Amino acid sequence: MKGKKIKLPLQEEEIKDLKRGDRLLLSGTLYTARDAAHKRLLEALDRGEELPFRIKGQVIYYVGPTPPPPGKVIGSAGPTTSSRMDSLTLPLLERGLKGMIGKGSRSEEVKRALQKHGAFYLAAVGGAGAFLSKKIKSARVVAYEDLGPEAIYQLEVEDFPVVVINDIHGGDLYEEGKARYAREK
Amino acid sequence: MQIIMVEDITRNVARMCCEANMHLGQDVKVALERALTIEESPAGREVLKELLENAEIADKERIPLCQDTGVAVVFVEMGREVIIEGGDPLEAINQGVEKGYQECYLRKSMVGDPLKRINTGTNTPAVIHWEMVPGDKLKITVAPKGGGSENMSTLKVLKPAQGEKGVIDFVVETVREAGANPCPPLVVGVGLGGTFEKAALLAKKALLRPLGQAHSDSYYARLEEVILEKVNSLGIGPQGFGGRITALAVHIEYFAAHIASLPVAVNLNCHASRHVERVFQGVKK
């Protein structure tokens, strides 16, 4: 598989060079979080507590995997729809979150915040959970275990394939891709 | 009369939950291969290849195709000459869902109450649609439905004067609005006519038809082609990365309607179009 190899956590200079449409192969650490975990993270911030992991410079993967079958580190693990996290994202960007992996477009508010904070939004292929699970080498619960598939996991990934949707320069692959291939009368 | 035991239902529903979530239908594989010959966008082609590879890995390693193993939607067609014995058939179906989701390591995605949102831990209750039909057979279809595509589905009761054009525009707008969220390439189920709830059920049933099989009524077969062409002119493409293949198929099911109404429901499904059906042979009495 082709793609630019990127080590996580990200370096500031690297993010600047990445453009919408770029295929990346990520290796390193990702943190999972979806609806319920986001709600808890924000509640922790409201109470003035520390977050359960150091968010500065990190990438969050929006995923709720299936349970790991015996002998496997994780089950099927593809991206979930990102827009559900739109209203819960800004406080995390303000604290240094550098990237998010999901699927589907983000709100205008999130897109503006990405540019402001020098962060980017990536998509993995929705519906390719079995394929993507092979790129995950280990999974460890770091918080909210009671949430089951919605708990926060620390994942170690190797050549995890993603596509840049929103870069820090305001590029948007969903908008540009559609405009390029549309042929409506 | 044919007698079918509830244990037989439970055992088979469990297997069907596993199979539907781990095995991509041959019709879908053919449709993806065909899409690869049409898709011009390099990013779109990569997605189609990844989905085909995903199906191979899922099959070989017994990993679900998608982490969202869905709400268990179950359609039952029960012949009038069938008797189910040994317990409550609805309970038997729910027990089958619980067993299948547990034994095959599928994700339990059901919350018991839409506002209090506590996970039931079993992926039950299933959403069961029961129908009486002529004959001596029992047919059960298990169709796990994911949230990403379900969330972008729509329903509207149009004015009869809006006619065919109104229907086409509504379906195309639904797909445009959905964008990348429902994981294109899509299968688009359209329910026309009936009432508010009937149209929605027809749209879901339309998703059960094998890909590549046109509507048996030539008027609706043509309408399916017209809508598919328009949907694939939107440019959304596989995963919304831009491209020609936004949908693999558009399927329409219709029913009679009131003189004042033209209900239209659009149920979007991801490429996998997961469903497995079994016809049960009972013991003659």
Side-chain angles (χ1 to χ4, degrees):
Chain A
M1 176 164 315
K2 277 175 258 161
K4 187 174 179 189
K5 289 190 180 261
I6 298 282
K7 285 250 177 297
L8 299 173
L10 290 150
Q11 302 303 312
E12 290 275 347
E13 314 82 69
E14 265 181 322
I15 303 181
K16 282 188 202 126
D17 293 338
L18 299 173
K19 291 195 189 62
R20 47 103 189 92
D22 285 351
R23 271 183 75 80
L24 312 179
L25 298 172
L26 307 179
S27 295
T29 304
L30 294 176
Y31 290 91
T32 74
R34 38 177 291 157
D35 315 55
H38 271 73
K39 206 168 155 234
R40 293 221 189 150
L41 290 173
L42 266 55
E43 283 164 1
L45 289 175
D46 279 347
R47 289 192 299 264
E49 295 168 11
E50 287 286 306
L51 294 179
F53 65 97
R54 206 176 116 80
I55 200 162
K56 200 167 158 44
Q58 298 296 343
V59 175
I60 286 181
Y61 181 21
Y62 300 143
V63 59
T66 59
K72 295 207 170 16
V73 298
I74 200 163
S76 193
T80 193
T81 308
S82 308
S83 61
R84 293 199 316 273
M85 270 57 77
D86 279 347
S87 63
L88 309 168
T89 295
L90 262 54
L92 304 180
L93 288 170
E94 283 159 12
R95 282 162 184 81
L97 177 68
K98 278 295 163 204
M100 291 149 283
I101 305 170
K103 65 170 169 94
S105 58
R106 307 308 303 259
S107 66
E108 290 306 319
E109 191 184 28
V110 169
K111 287 191 233 176
R112 278 194 302 273
L114 289 172
Q115 280 187 264
K116 183 177 166 196
H117 298 288
F120 64 172
Y121 171 56
L122 311 160
V125 171
F131 172 83
L132 292 167
S133 77
K134 305 299 289 175
K135 315 292 178 189
I136 299 170
K137 303 303 167 188
S138 73
R140 179 176 74 85
V141 175
V142 289
Y144 318 141
E145 192 161 12
D146 60 299
L147 294 178
E150 295 211 54
I152 295 184
Y153 287 82
Q154 183 183 322
L155 306 180
E156 294 303 323
V157 300
E158 205 175 292
D159 290 339
F160 188 90
V162 293
V163 173
V164 179
I165 301 296
N166 297 105
D167 59 35
I168 69 161
H169 311 290
D172 184 336
L173 179 66
Y174 289 142
E175 292 303 326
E176 292 169 42
K178 194 163 61 180
R180 184 161 170 204
Y181 288 96
R183 48 179 173 197
E184 290 180 85
K185 284 137 218 153
Chain B
M1 299 300 271
Q2 293 282 338
I3 296 176
I4 290 163
M5 302 303 290
V6 286
E7 294 83 12
D8 205 17
I9 292 176
T10 297
R11 192 172 56 245
N12 275 283
V13 166
R15 278 191 206 147
M16 290 157 83
C17 289
C18 301
E19 192 184 332
N21 273 299
M22 293 184 189
H23 179 74
L24 194 68
Q26 188 56 32
D27 57 331
V28 179
K29 285 183 196 160
V30 169
L32 288 174
E33 295 281 5
R34 188 172 167 273
L36 254 177
T37 66
I38 299 167
E39 185 54 74
E40 298 162 21
S41 134
R45 293 174 54 79
E46 283 299 321
V47 169
L48 297 171
K49 284 187 219 161
E50 202 169 299
L51 292 176
L52 282 163
E53 197 181 336
N54 185 63
E56 264 180 51
I57 294 171
D59 242 342
K60 204 163 57 191
E61 303 211 14
R62 305 279 296 159
I63 301 173
L65 291 158
C66 179
Q67 74 291 340
D68 186 352
T69 49
V71 175
V73 180
V74 181
F75 288 91
V76 184
E77 286 179 22
M78 182 170 163
R80 290 197 183 87
E81 294 151 49
V82 170
I83 299 170
I84 296 174
E85 284 188 354
D88 175 0
L90 293 179
E91 208 173 286
I93 290 172
N94 276 313
Q95 281 172 0
V97 169
E98 178 170 356
K99 185 173 151 68
Y101 274 71
Q102 192 59 38
E103 290 177 357
C104 286
Y105 301 93
L106 306 179
R107 196 179 79 186
K108 289 86 185 168
S109 308
M110 292 300 277
V111 292
D113 174 308
L115 292 177
K116 296 171 200 154
R117 307 201 74 84
I118 308 295
N119 198 307
T120 62
T122 57
N123 215 53
T124 62
V127 173
I128 303 170
H129 303 291
W130 198 283
E131 216 179 328
M132 295 297 286
V133 296
D136 63 355
K137 295 201 168 50
L138 176 75
K139 184 168 110 177
I140 296 184
T141 307
V142 174
K145 188 66 169 73
S149 54
E150 195 74 355
N151 288 357
M152 304 313 290
S153 299
T154 54
L155 192 148
K156 194 172 182 187
V157 182
L158 304 180
K159 295 179 182 71
Q162 289 176 272
E164 188 184 289
K165 184 175 184 305
V167 169
I168 295 170
D169 289 348
F170 183 68
V171 178
V172 173
E173 268 321 296
T174 297
V175 175
R176 187 204 310 272
E177 278 293 309
N181 286 8
C183 297
L186 307 173
V187 178
V188 181
V190 181
L192 291 181
T195 46
F196 187 81
E197 83 287 3
K198 179 75 176 178
L201 189 53
L202 288 168
K204 181 133 277 145
K205 271 193 169 175
L207 298 174
L208 304 180
R209 197 199 305 159
L211 301 188
Q213 185 181 314
H215 200 286
S216 55
D217 178 328
S218 62
Y219 169 78
Y220 283 99
R222 186 197 61 86
L223 186 56
E224 288 176 353
E225 276 179 34
V226 169
I227 298 176
L228 181 62
E229 168 77 25
K230 283 190 181 280
V231 161
N232 282 340
S233 296
L234 290 172
I236 295 168
Q239 293 294 312
F241 296 164
R244 298 282 172 238
I245 308 291
T246 300
L248 298 171
V250 174
H251 291 167
I252 301 173
E253 293 297 327
Y254 70 89
F255 192 77
H258 188 277
I259 47 173
S261 333
L262 172 47
V264 46
V266 185
N267 199 194
L268 300 180
N269 208 353
C270 67
H271 79 285
S273 184
R274 296 175 295 197
H275 61 275
V276 170
E277 63 174 53
R278 280 253 212 298
V279 177
F280 290 69
Q281 291 294 340
V283 180
K284 250 203 165 42
K285 190 176 184 183

